[in-house]
Amino acid sequence: MDSATALQESILDNLKSRKWRAGHRIPTERSFSEQSGLSRATVRRVLAVLKERGLITQTVGSGTYVSAHIAEALAATTDGGPAHSASPAELMSARLALEPAIIDMVIGNANSADFERMHECCNKAEAATTLEDFERWDSLLHEVIADSAHNSFISGVFRLMNQARSDAEWGTLKRRSATPERRLEYQREHRSLVEALQQRDAVRARELCIDHLVHVRVNMLGN
């Protein structure tokens, strides 16, 4: 593996492991150059490839950041696998089994930075002007909650579930079932869930989580 490829794989590892999350400012070209021994021109080409794939964004005078759409961009780099072969019904069954089950771990391990990210996802979802943007921040909220358990295996499982949510069949069902009224209901449910988690109320948070997922399942699948 040449040095440029090694640098690209190193950056990808940080993105896939969620060490660098959406909005995270990554090192400068100069820093990468010093760390890898590559010229800044080569580093720039590596970053250009990642930017083209939608993994990072660059702002003149500000820096290079992990894309807000990182989950979808990473999903697009995979070849399929179990996440992309799961039906919406299978995904909802998995979510109902797994998401309430990690509530105790989230409440036990979440810190102030985790709650800030949850509120940020709620804010961005509520401000979204398109269904696609709303769904992006909706899915990221559930992933952020899972990350708050601070267990790398659980985080990996939830990233797979979010990859499944990028599947075309899921998107079609979500668009078909979406109404302004339902979106407002989801937003209220998200806020209530985050508040219960922040209050360390495991019983309430678990009830809200189950109610929300059942609500989504009924709206999308009819049962």
Side-chain angles (χ1 to χ4, degrees), residues 136-206:
R136 182 177 301 114
W137 289 104
D138 177 341
S139 63
L140 185 58
L141 171 63
H142 290 274
E143 191 171 330
V144 166
I145 291 173
D147 282 344
S148 301
H150 293 278
N151 181 296
S152 60
F153 183 80
I154 287 174
S155 293
V157 170
F158 276 76
R159 283 197 297 277
L160 281 175
M161 290 201 295
N162 263 0
Q163 288 178 20
R165 289 179 69 163
S166 69
D167 183 80
E169 186 177 2
W170 176 277
T172 299
L173 284 173
K174 196 64 180 280
R175 286 189 296 273
R176 189 177 298 159
S177 66
T179 66
E181 293 76 20
R182 285 175 176 173
R183 174 174 161 177
L184 287 174
E185 289 169 355
Y186 293 158
Q187 290 171 183
R188 287 193 292 268
E189 289 166 0
H190 288 158
R191 285 289 185 185
S192 296
L193 174 57
V194 171
E195 288 171 5
L197 291 171
Q198 195 161 12
Q199 292 166 5
R200 313 286 180 177
D201 188 339
V203 174
R204 178 65 174 155
R206 195 175 298 107

Side-chain angles (χ1 to χ4, degrees), residues 104-155:
D104 286 338
M105 192 177 296
V106 171
I107 285 178
N109 296 331
N111 56 40
S112 58
D114 294 321
F115 291 122
E116 286 177 10
R117 294 191 69 232
M118 292 181 205
H119 285 295
E120 179 188 16
C121 289
C122 289
N123 291 339
K124 293 290 181 65
E126 290 166 6
T129 57
T130 66
L131 177 62
E132 289 73 19
D133 279 345
F134 173 75
E135 171 69 3
R136 182 177 301 114
W137 289 104
D138 177 341
S139 63
L140 185 58
L141 171 63
H142 290 274
E143 191 171 330
V144 166
I145 291 173
D147 282 344
S148 301
H150 293 278
N151 181 296
S152 60
F153 183 80
I154 287 174
S155 293

